[in-house]
């Protein structure tokens, strides 16, 4: 066994992997556990025995002659660590409960992003978070990191660029060749040993990366930071060929493809078709690529897809979810027959859903439609005989396309009427962001929707997808099948109240209910009509809970996206998210193996593809053996893993945006630019500078004309002597003083009006000292 100063072999499994393989009901023989974790070498098996012994001491595992059984301890709470550069750490609970404050000495060597088990040591109060300590590290988030190499006396260390990692990593002497006093490069460091007892973490330099190498080098930096520079290859798998004779023939239907993205390996999207109903109303078809039918649930390919979880857009290219072979087999192409999973949605004249029906189909798309063509169609005069260039390839499909736009507008109106929250906070127009600038047609990770006109291709597709996901969610929930449902809780009323107070302090007119509350929908509508709309919408965005996946239909459904409590089950975009593949697997199982009658002796059957069967089934719909793989995956933490990957996706996109904005700001250092105050804190205020909307900080210590106090209830900084105020949404002029692209930090200085005298040096020094006092005693600054 390795000593503390030797580097042991890296573990092939995590504690989370181990616990996921165990059940609280049935004991698992150790040999079976070794096989399930893929352990064959004696050193790997020895590591498993050490881990089991430690978990037994923590009373997380019970060992008997029959094998190992998981013990669920309600006092140990699964969570994910989120730390700040100041040493403040919180454990974000998997169950959505209150965040737990973890002091630095209670981290027990856990790092930012790690999945942990936390024991609460002090309950929270009205204005205080509960406190606790890390008892067990379930899974390490950081296996490699970006750093700068430094010589600290006799130690050669790597200092992480991510200052939320409150440590340095010891390096071997041979890595001294990567010392870079001018900071023209950074290095990728692989972690060889995590900290244990009094011993520091150890690692080694894998490669050097340039800091100013252009767009491609920046992307390499970000992919390396998020450990995406080398992704695991898809396992070899034989894909099923789908027999067209077993499917509903819809090849004569004029299905249209919406052209959203241009990036390399962009995921495929659904096709749409529309028919008018006799007597009024519409029949809207959505055809999703038949991805889930081409491999076996639980196969090696399926497990690999679960680990990938999502397709990731990194600007001009995508890191695809599905393998190249699977994407090619399932992709829709104009003029070519292809298998699909389809739903027909029957709408009344106002766009309200009346009924639906699912089927396995065969389609042949007739045309592809992009944003330019849709805009040209909207701007075309009704009786015009000429066609603009974007419309000429679509001359035979203009009428159904126009009707599709009409229905999309009705669906949008219906959704808004149910309380949907839309914010005008799309990505800024920076070329390197490319496909990231196009809002995804699925609701996304946030609990609100990007405001789009009905003729935008993303908006058109989004309305159809929301309706299709709503239909499948309602169907699978009524039949009691183990689907993955989309949900996001409504915003906390106290958080909304704080946003409303900030708006009222700015004299924004709001209508509150009898309890003095305002809904997110009402706030969004009120903010959109003001000259401070963007800054206020950003405040509202910050308190909207993110979308999440749940194994049962949530009562809150998609609050902020659809105000009704109907269940939503995503399935329309299987090349974007694994949750869609999962629900497609259930839908295919239902359509092909579901029992539509109690026994073959019964002549009357029910239609399992439509809501006509709801409440009419009193027999087992599917055999227990068919549902067991789905239920076991849910019991073994599938939802938590997918949720973790969604957070990962959000962090990656935020980093891509921040890097692109920082690069846009670098040539502007020293220039005076107009901006808008986007946030106010006790230590200064943030200013957003168009057109890239790069955000930088004006620190309170740089305001030399007075001593400024923070008034949190009014969301402003106010000078003690001159009474000058800096408020949310104010227009200001700033100078970009410093840009750190690697850390995404922008330092700004506000340009004072002409004739303003600077405070005396002593007063400025007092200001810098007094800032901390104001922070420490915020109640005094409210007077």
């Amino acid at each position: 066994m390795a000593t503390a100063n030797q580097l042991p072999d890296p573990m092939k499994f995590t504690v989370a992997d181990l616990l996921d393989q165990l059940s609280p009901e049935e004991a698992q023989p150790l040999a079976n556990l070794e096989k399930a974790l893929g352990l064959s070498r004696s050193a790997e098996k020895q590591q498993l025995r050490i881990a089991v012994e430690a978990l037994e001491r923590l009373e997380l595992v019970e060992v008997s002659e029959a094998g190992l059984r998981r013990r669920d301890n309600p006092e140990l709470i699964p969570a994910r660590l989120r730390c700040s550069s100041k040493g403040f750490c919180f454990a974000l609970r998997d169950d959505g409960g209150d965040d737990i404050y973890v002091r630095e000495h209670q981290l027990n060597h856990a790092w930012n992003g790690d999945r942990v088990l936390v024991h609460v040591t002090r309950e929270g109060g009205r204005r205080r978070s509960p406190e606790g300590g890390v008892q067990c590290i379930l899974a390490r988030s950081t296996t490699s990191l970006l750093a700068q190499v430094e010589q600290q006396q006799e130690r050669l260390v790597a200092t992480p660029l991510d200052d939320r990692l409150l440590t340095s990593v010891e390096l071997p002497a041979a890595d001294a060749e990567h010392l870079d006093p001018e900071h023209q490069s950074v290095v990728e460091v692989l972690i060889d040993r995590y900290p244990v007892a009094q011993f520091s973490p150890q690692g080694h330099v894998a490669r050097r990366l340039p800091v100013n190498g252009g767009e491609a080098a920046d992307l390499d930096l970000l992919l390396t930071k998020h450990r995406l520079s080398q992704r695991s290859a898809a396992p070899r798998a034989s894909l099923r060929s789908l027999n067209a004779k077993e499917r509903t023939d819809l090849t004569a239907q004029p299905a249209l493809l919406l052209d959203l993205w241009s990036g390399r390996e962009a995921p495929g999207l659904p096709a749409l078709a529309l028919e008018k109903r006799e007597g009024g109303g519409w029949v809207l078809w959505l055809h999703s690529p038949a991805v889930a039918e081409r491999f076996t649930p639980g196969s090696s390919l399926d497990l690999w897809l679960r680990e990938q979880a999502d397709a990731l857009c990194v600007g001009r290219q995508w890191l695809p979810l599905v393998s190249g072979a699977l994407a090619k087999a399932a992709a829709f192409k104009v003029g070519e027959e292809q298998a699909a999973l389809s739903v027909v949605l029957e709408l009344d004249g106002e766009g309200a859903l009346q009924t639906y029906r699912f089927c396995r189909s065969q389609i042949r798309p007739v045309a592809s439609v992009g944003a330019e063509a849709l805009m040209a169609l909207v701007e075309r005069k009704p009786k015009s005989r000429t066609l603009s260039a974007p419309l000429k390839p679509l001359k035979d499909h203009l009428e159904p396309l126009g009707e599709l736009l009409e229905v999309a507008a009705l669906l949008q109106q219906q959704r808004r009427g149910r309380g949907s929250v839309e914010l005008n906070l799309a990505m800024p127009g920076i070329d390197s962001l490319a496909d990231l600038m196009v809002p995804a047609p699925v609701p996304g990770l946030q609990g609100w929707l990007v405001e789009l006109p009905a003729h935008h291709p993303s908006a058109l597709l989004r309305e159809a997808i929301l309706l299709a996901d709503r239909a499948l969610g309602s169907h699978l929930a009524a039949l009691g099948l183990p689907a993955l449902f989309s949900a996001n809780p409504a915003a906390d009323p106290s958080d909304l109240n704080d946003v409303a107070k900030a708006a009222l302090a700015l004299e924004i007119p709001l209508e509150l209910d009898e309890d003095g509350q305002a809904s997110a929908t009402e706030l969004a509508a009120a903010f959109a009509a003001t000259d401070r709309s963007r800054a206020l919408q950003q405040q509202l965005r910050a308190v909207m809970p993110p979308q999440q996946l749940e194994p049962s239909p949530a009562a809150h459904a998609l609050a902020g996206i659809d105000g009704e409590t109907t269940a939503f089950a995503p399935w329309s975009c299987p090349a974007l998210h694994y949750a869609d593949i999962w629900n497609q697997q259930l839908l295919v199982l239902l359509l092909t193996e579901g029992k539509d009658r109690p026994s073959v002796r019964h002549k009357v059957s029910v239609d399992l593809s439509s809501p006509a069967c709801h409440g009419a089934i009193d027999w087992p719909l599917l055999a227990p053996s068919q549902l067991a793989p789905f239920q076991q995956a849910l019991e073994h933490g599938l939802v938590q893993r997918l949720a973790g990957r969604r957070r990962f996706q959000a962090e990656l996109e935020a980093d891509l945006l921040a890097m692109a904005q920082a690069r846009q700001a670098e040539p502007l250092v020293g220039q005076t630019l107009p901006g808008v105050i986007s946030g106010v804190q006790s230590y200064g205020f943030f200013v957003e500078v168009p057109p890239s909307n790069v955000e930088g900080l004006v620190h309170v210590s740089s305001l030399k004309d007075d001593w400024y106090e923070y008034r949190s209830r009014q969301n402003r900084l106010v000078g003690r002597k001159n009474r000058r105020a800096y408020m949310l949404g104010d227009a200001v002029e700033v100078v970009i003083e410093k840009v750190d692209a690697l850390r995404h930090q922008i330092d700004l200085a506000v340009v004072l009006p002409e004739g303003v005298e600077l405070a005396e040096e002593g007063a400025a020094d007092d200001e810098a000292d007094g800032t901390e006092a104001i922070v420490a005693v915020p109640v005094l600054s409210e007077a």
Side-chain angles (χ1 to χ4, degrees), residues 548-570:
Q548 52 193 306
L549 293 173
E550 298 189 3
S552 58
H556 45 258
L558 285 176
I561 294 175
D562 192 303
E564 294 191 352
T565 57
T566 308
F568 283 76

Side-chain angles (χ1 to χ4, degrees), residues 442-462:
V442 291
L445 305 175
Q446 67 276 357
W448 50 277
L449 295 175
V450 176
E451 182 180 319
L452 294 171
H455 63 265
H456 191 289
S458 284
L460 196 158
L461 196 51
R462 181 171 71 188

Side-chain angles (χ1 to χ4, degrees), residues 156-238:
L156 187 69
V157 300
T159 302
L161 290 184
D162 187 347
D163 52 12
R164 297 171 301 173
L165 296 175
L166 311 174
T167 186
S168 59
V169 180
E170 290 188 0
L171 299 175
D175 283 344
E177 63 177 303
H178 296 290
L179 284 167
D180 180 16
E182 301 298 323
H183 297 314
Q184 295 300 307
S185 65
V186 295
V187 295
E188 178 187 9
V189 175
L190 302 183
I191 303 299
D192 297 317
R193 185 191 71 191
Y194 291 100
V196 56
Q198 74 270 30
F199 298 101
S200 301
Q202 294 183 358
H204 67 277
V205 174
R207 60 177 179 144
R208 184 194 296 260
L209 297 95
V211 171
N212 297 303
E215 185 179 314
D218 283 351
L219 180 57
D220 192 16
L221 278 169
L222 290 175
L223 294 181
T224 302
K225 174 183 177 181
H226 292 277
R227 294 169 288 284
L228 291 170
S229 54
Q230 293 183 341
R231 303 180 81 199
S232 63
R236 292 184 179 180
S238 297

